[in-house]
Amino acid sequence: MNRISVNVDGTTYEDEVEPRLLLVHYLRDRLGLTGTQNGCDTGNCGACTVDLDGASVKSCSVLAVQADGGEVTTLQGLARDGEWHPLQRSFHERHALQCGYCTPGMIMAARDLLRDNPDPSPQEVRNSLRGNLCRCTGYQNIVEAVLAAAAARESVPAPAAGGERT
Amino acid sequence: MSAFGTRVNRVEDQRLLTSGGVYVDDLRVPGLRGAAYVTFVRSPVAHAVITRIDTSRARAHPRVVAVYTAADLTGLPAPRPFGRPAHSGGFFAEPLLAGEKVRFVGEPVAVVLTEARYDGQDAADLVDVEYRRLPAVVGPAQALHDGTLLFEEAGSNLADQRDRDTYDDTVFDGADVVVEREIVNQRVACVPMEGRATAAVFDGTRLTVWHSSQNAQRCRSTLAESLGIPAEAIRVIVPDVGGGFGAKIGIDRDAIVVAWAAWRSGTAVRWAESRAENLVAMTQGRAQLNRVRIGGRRDGTITAYRLDVVQDAGAYPRTSTLAPVTCTMAPGVYDIPQVQTGYRVVVTNGTPVNKYRGAGRPEATAAIERAVDLFAAEIGMDPAEVRRRNVIAADAFPFRTGTGALYDSGEYGAALDRLLGAAAYPRLRAEQAARRDKGCVNALGIGISVYVEMTGGGGETARVTVDGRGHATVLTGSSTQGQGHGTAWSMLVEAELGIPVDRITVVHGDTDLIPKAVGTYSSRSLQLGGSAVHQAAADVRNQARWHAAGLLAVRESDVTLDVASGTWHVAGDPGRSLTWDQVVGHTGAGSIRADAEFASERPTFPFGAHLSVVEVDTETGMVTVLRHMTVDDAGPVLNPVLAEGQRHGGIAQGIAQVLFEEVRYDADGNPLHATLADYGAVAAADLPDFELEAGETPTDVNPLGVKGIGEAGTIGSIPAVQNAVIDAVAHLGVRHIDMPMTPDRVWAAIGEAGTERRSRR
């Protein structure tokens, strides 16, 4: 067993974990944060995508011990004081989700994209989401939602210090 | 009905976007506290006799709760054998756990229950199973030879067949041209993003089962039948479902075993399959080997068509409907004087095949739409023109086909013309010709399909209750796997009762609350479930009118409901108005409630036309879909947001089947894919934006006038894309390429056509 300390969505947790415990199962089974899904076990579908220390990772391919001392953001930590993240809003407004299973990972991956490239082209959005599979939507509305979130972000002033990092 | 055509964003999104949904593996309910994790021991071989199962090492594992094999499944009713006795002899029964023989890789042989999730695979690895291998039957063509039998006592791999003895070759005699060809509709995996998942607890009296399903009520009846306990002693709850696509209709053997394990062990249990399990053990789709024969005149008239189907059922036939539906829908949108169909259903050493988005209809459409293109190529006529000359005329409806279907309404020619107009079809052909003239490496292909499909049929239940606070609750038998029923049903209730969407709660997927229902499949929800909700709401409105009349001391006929404000008042006197809570308060019963059970005797027949434009790199065989345009007509559209979402997803699944997806086996029956790295799932980068237009030809078989839209995208897109790829390389001599049209296949087809042309010279 290894002792780890991880900050998830603003709360710090300390736990004894098996070395083989995957981050996705640590979040889900130990912390009860079931908003992050496990879809394929092999890093292909992206449903388990979370942010670890400023980069998006597939939490089915990261050990919990690797997150020791780190900061994890999941879908459940995106809204601030009841205010939705622009991607949450645009996914709703563009009908970019159906069953919702891929959505947490899709939004976390899109957030990562917009951090690197705040003004992506439609094809850049499609290429960057290659590692996130959706079986319901055919992706079109997801692409539109990401583009809409990018546009909305450009049109509002940058958040004050202490706001969301993106 | 004022709600129709309104773009409403979904009421279900809030949860899904902030905390995530609550799928089975997310459940943290008290009843599942301390639940044991179920792990399956699955067959690693396709066909074998089980000579020994030794569970002693697994049982000795310190954190193992229980280990069960077929030997523990005592006292249960015998599995129901498949098929009509005349053909199958009733021999094709599927056990819950394999005890004597395994018939596909992934077949469950034993389960282990462990305290912790990760101990499950450790313990499963300790179950020793010895197999005496048998030759594997791989694919339907091999099954027909009956060299190796899956069910020795049946004497054949043929589980069912129909009508092949009626084939009459003379109907093709008068044709100028007859084309015959084999068309493979390959086996595909369904791959909902959430795999199968089940949790269960037995409290000594009742068995509660949470299951990711398209219909809780069928799960309950199947469980009762399989476990030999009364349905009343079982409660099935379906929480959020991460996609179904047909593969989650009802409950299959693995999940039944999980529920049984809770009953047997007295321990709460939970199971969520891995993707590797999902890719070998969840039912798969399509898997047909079809032979088409089409005959007609050089003026473009099709005079005769035959579709002969071989359905690969996999190791255990689980459905009797796929091949018959394909045969019923064989002639598609065309008025063909002579149509012959027949089928054989065979068992093979593959994963069982069952319903997958379209379930028999995409196969029929793919066959006829490919056949029409083959015929058009043979007579040298534009494929759009051949279609135009043969579609059923708009004034011929209702139209009875030669295969017995009664098409309710349709405008097939108009849909095609509208599509061709939107696509600027002549310009596309001109560009194609220009590229060919220049000898471009990137060839342009244009593919068309005109489709009709069959949706709904049967019944569905609903209950609408308005309480003393003026809130409405809808209990619906039609549950959601992401389609947005909550939004759609709320719109129907709001339109009927004037109660705003944010004061309406939609409940589904709980057999204690909704004991009688059919569920969601076959694009049936709005036309059946929605009609039931509409009728229940109308009943509530009528009851409320009676109460309001009493309160207002006027005749019922003088009372109207102002839907915009949700208030009742005397006609012409809005000053004297009552709110819903006042009307309900007057009843003294605390609520106004109505039940409805809507049934339609006939299915509906949505239709449309798709046009796909692809580019094929003739040096590598790589296909790129440049544009995909559709005119889909499923009658009036309640919420275009939802309908377009269904069409987008359906088209993507169709394109995925054409270009990427196939479940393949080696000669020993080993699946050649274990993960989503191996199986060709479609990603955003593989697809273009889709260009949608919609028609709204109503049906008369339900009060809303609507047909189904859930599967149309898949049914229409598959032949359009397949035809487009072949069209792109037709000038190189290619007449047909089977799906999936991977670069190596397309490249090989181009090479073979070139060799043939050279050898003919």
Side-chain angles (χ1 to χ4, degrees):
Chain A
M1 290 296 223
N2 294 57
R3 184 154 197 88
I4 60 168
S5 169
V6 188
N7 184 290
V8 182
D9 296 334
T11 304
T12 300
Y13 301 87
E14 301 215 356
D15 276 297
E16 296 278 339
V17 299
E18 266 188 285
R20 65 176 175 173
L21 183 67
L22 296 170
L23 180 57
V24 65
H25 289 133
Y26 176 67
L27 295 172
R28 293 176 50 79
D29 294 348
R30 295 292 284 276
L31 305 186
L33 296 172
T34 55
T36 298
Q37 298 300 340
N38 186 24
C40 73
D41 317 307
T42 51
N44 295 100
C45 84
C48 65
T49 306
V50 298
D51 185 292
L52 174 60
D53 294 332
S56 81
V57 298
K58 294 184 171 169
S59 61
C60 77
S61 304
V62 175
L63 297 167
V65 292
Q66 290 176 285
D68 181 30
E71 207 170 299
V72 174
T73 305
T74 76
L75 174 90
Q76 292 170 268
L78 282 193
R80 293 292 160 96
D81 304 322
E83 185 73 16
W84 283 13
H85 186 280
L87 280 163
Q88 289 171 309
R89 266 203 311 277
S90 66
F91 266 58
H92 171 62
E93 287 163 1
R94 304 286 166 145
H95 187 36
L97 65 157
Q98 290 184 26
C99 82
Y101 199 84
C102 75
T103 308
M106 197 67 81
I107 286 184
M108 295 311 292
R111 177 176 175 266
D112 198 40
L113 161 70
L114 295 183
R115 194 162 41 195
D116 294 345
N117 180 0
D119 185 23
S121 70
Q123 197 55 46
E124 283 173 332
V125 174
R126 287 187 178 274
N127 291 343
S128 78
L129 295 179
R130 202 175 252 295
N132 289 75
L133 300 179
C134 169
R135 195 64 159 166
C136 296
T137 66
Y139 300 103
Q140 183 160 333
N141 290 352
I142 292 175
V143 174
E144 284 182 14
V146 175
L147 293 169
R153 183 157 298 224
E154 276 182 0
S155 65
V156 296
E164 227 218 314
R165 276 181 301 176
T166 60
Chain B
M1 291 259 254
S2 56
F4 270 75
T6 319
R7 300 188 75 88
V8 178
N9 290 324
R10 297 204 313 178
V11 300
E12 327 33 16
D13 290 353
Q14 165 108 27
R15 273 182 322 109
L16 298 172
L17 283 167
T18 55
S19 57
V22 180
Y23 308 92
V24 168
D25 204 38
D26 299 341
L27 289 165
R28 297 294 181 266
V29 297
L32 292 175
R33 194 165 292 147
Y37 290 85
V38 175
T39 305
F40 281 88
V41 177
R42 299 185 180 279
S43 172
V45 293
H47 197 193
V49 173
I50 297 173
T51 52
R52 191 176 71 96
I53 304 179
D54 181 356
T55 61
S56 56
R57 286 203 302 150
R59 286 180 206 276
H61 187 288
R63 290 183 297 281
V64 164
V65 177
V67 182
Y68 299 122
T69 67
D72 298 296
L73 294 163
T74 51
L76 299 183
R80 187 162 31 153
F82 170 87
R84 289 179 285 161
H87 297 298
S88 69
F91 291 117
F92 300 87
E94 182 170 18
L96 292 177
L97 291 172
E100 296 161 7
K101 206 176 176 191
V102 290
R103 296 183 176 86
F104 67 98
V105 171
E107 178 159 14
V109 176
V111 286
V112 296
L113 278 57
T114 55
E115 291 167 13
R117 192 187 291 272
Y118 284 15
D119 290 329
Q121 198 55 56
D122 296 346
D125 291 345
L126 297 176
V127 176
D128 295 318
V129 187
E130 283 182 10
Y131 299 98
R132 181 165 57 77
R133 283 175 184 254
L134 301 168
V137 176
V138 181
Q142 197 182 333
L144 287 170
H145 291 132
D146 282 337
T148 298
L149 298 179
L150 272 75
F151 297 81
E152 289 281 349
E153 57 284 21
S156 166
N157 291 321
L158 196 59
D160 194 7
Q161 64 175 324
R162 197 183 76 188
D163 291 347
R164 300 187 72 251
D165 50 346
T166 66
Y167 291 166
D168 174 9
D169 287 348
T170 62
V171 303
F172 292 93
D173 286 351
D176 297 336
V177 169
V178 176
V179 191
E180 182 162 357
R181 119 142 268 143
E182 190 176 273
I183 294 174
V184 176
N185 207 302
Q186 81 273 31
R187 173 189 280 261
V188 295
C190 303
V191 201
M193 294 316 300
E194 181 207 24
R196 295 174 299 169
T198 311
V201 61
F202 182 61
D203 66 4
T205 311
R206 293 192 89 205
L207 180 65
T208 302
V209 179
W210 293 264
H211 183 52
S212 184
S213 173
Q214 296 176 218
N215 37 12
Q217 294 75 15
R218 188 185 292 190
C219 296
R220 187 171 79 145
S221 58
T222 303
L223 281 165
E225 189 183 326
S226 305
L227 303 181
I229 52 181
E232 299 71 40
I234 302 170
R235 179 184 188 183
V236 176
I237 301 170
V238 174
D240 286 326
V241 175
F245 312 111
K248 290 183 183 171
I249 296 173
I251 187 166
D252 63 18
R253 62 194 281 191
D254 306 43
I256 296 169
V257 168
V258 174
W260 171 85
W263 178 80
R264 166 71 183 256
S265 68
T267 309
V269 297
R270 61 193 318 153
W271 168 65
E273 70 178 347
S274 68
R275 185 58 65 186
E277 287 181 284
N278 175 264
L279 284 169
V280 296
M282 175 181 245
T283 57
Q284 299 179 341
R286 313 289 188 249
Q288 283 186 2
L289 181 62
N290 294 326
R291 180 160 281 275
V292 297
R293 183 189 281 194
I294 187 166
R297 295 196 292 268
R298 292 205 174 271
D299 69 359
T301 310
I302 302 166
T303 54
Y305 177 63
R306 178 187 297 167
L307 174 63
D308 183 57
V309 178
V310 183
Q311 175 72 56
D312 176 357
Y316 299 94
R318 290 183 178 177
T319 174
S320 58
T321 66
L322 293 177
V325 165
T326 301
C327 289
T328 298
M329 296 311 296
V333 294
Y334 306 107
D335 188 355
I336 305 175
Q338 296 289 340
V339 179
Q340 299 171 359
T341 65
Y343 66 78
R344 286 168 286 181
V345 177
V346 294
V347 288
T348 63
N349 290 117
T351 300
V353 171
N354 209 331
K355 298 179 180 70
Y356 171 62
R357 205 166 194 165
R361 293 111 76 199
E363 297 88 329
T365 309
I368 182 72
E369 288 303 290
R370 265 292 41 243
V372 168
D373 262 31
L374 288 167
F375 174 68
E378 198 63 34
I379 61 170
M381 186 177 280
D382 186 291
E385 187 54 33
V386 173
R387 286 176 170 80
R388 201 181 269 126
R389 288 183 188 205
N390 289 282
V391 290
I392 298 161
D395 59 8
F397 292 87
F399 181 86
R400 176 76 69 180
T401 69
T403 52
L406 184 63
Y407 293 173
D408 49 354
S409 57
E411 295 264 2
Y412 305 155
L416 173 61
D417 285 340
R418 190 171 158 197
L419 177 77
L420 296 175
Y425 184 65
R427 220 181 303 162
L428 289 171
R429 286 288 174 208
E431 189 192 337
Q432 178 183 53
R435 286 200 194 191
R436 286 178 179 175
D437 288 346
K438 277 188 283 185
C440 280
V441 169
N442 285 323
L444 197 72
I446 304 146
I448 299 167
S449 81
V450 186
Y451 72 90
V452 56
E453 60 137 338
M454 177 166 61
T455 66
E460 193 53 275
T461 63
R463 168 178 290 183
V464 173
T465 307
V466 179
D467 66 19
R469 299 172 302 141
H471 284 241
T473 301
V474 180
L475 300 183
T476 173
S478 183
S479 61
T480 181
Q481 304 92 53
Q483 296 91 338
H485 291 52
T487 305
W489 292 183
S490 296
M491 290 172 71
L492 292 172
V493 170
E494 181 181 36
E496 197 61 27
L497 303 183
I499 295 173
V501 164
D502 59 6
R503 299 175 74 180
I504 300 169
T505 305
V506 177
V507 179
H508 57 79
D510 184 333
T511 58
D512 272 11
L513 299 174
I514 307 152
K516 186 179 180 193
V518 180
T520 296
Y521 55 88
S522 188
S523 304
R524 65 201 306 285
S525 289
L526 182 60
Q527 54 187 314
L528 300 169
S531 291
V533 169
H534 171 73
Q535 289 187 339
D539 188 340
V540 166
R541 179 174 169 149
N542 286 335
Q543 292 181 48
R545 181 191 309 280
W546 185 83
H547 291 294
L551 262 172
L552 295 164
V554 295
R555 284 181 310 202
E556 260 186 89
S557 56
D558 290 334
V559 179
T560 62
L561 171 66
D562 178 29
V563 171
S565 65
T567 55
W568 294 91
H569 60 82
V570 177
D573 183 10
R576 292 180 65 200
S577 70
L578 296 169
T579 56
W580 270 100
D581 51 318
Q582 289 173 311
V583 173
V584 174
H586 177 66
T587 66
S591 67
I592 298 177
R593 186 175 94 184
D595 289 298
E597 184 168 353
F598 178 76
S600 82
E601 289 170 16
R602 293 184 281 135
T604 56
F605 292 85
F607 64 94
H610 284 216
L611 186 145
S612 205
V613 183
V614 306
E615 197 170 72
V616 175
D617 182 330
T618 51
E619 290 182 346
T620 65
M622 180 73 189
V623 177
T624 306
V625 181
L626 300 177
R627 298 176 71 187
H628 192 92
M629 288 160 270
T630 84
V631 174
D632 297 304
D633 189 327
V637 176
L638 175 60
N639 184 347
V641 170
L642 301 180
E644 289 161 14
Q646 288 299 308
R647 292 162 69 191
H648 286 168
I651 295 166
Q653 259 172 336
I655 293 175
Q657 181 180 354
V658 178
L659 298 185
F660 307 114
E661 294 191 32
E662 182 175 30
V663 172
R664 292 188 297 142
Y665 295 94
D666 71 12
D668 295 323
N670 297 305
L672 299 178
H673 52 79
T675 69
L676 288 180
D678 315 311
Y679 188 76
V682 67
D686 302 319
L687 300 168
D689 277 352
F690 310 129
E691 301 163 51
L692 308 185
E693 299 207 20
E696 300 213 342
T697 309
T699 180
D700 61 358
V701 307
N702 61 68
L704 303 175
V706 300
K707 308 179 184 182
I709 194 68
E711 295 153 294
T714 308
I715 292 164
S717 65
I718 289 172
V721 179
Q722 188 179 17
N723 283 340
V725 176
I726 294 161
D727 179 66
V729 293
H731 64 298
L732 304 175
V734 176
R735 282 291 169 87
H736 181 79
I737 307 170
D738 274 320
M739 303 184 292
M741 305 171 97
T742 51
D744 55 330
R745 277 204 186 168
V746 174
W747 183 81
I750 294 169
E752 281 162 26
T755 308
E756 270 173 42
R757 277 189 303 164
R758 278 191 296 276
S759 64
R760 274 202 300 270
R761 262 181 224 152

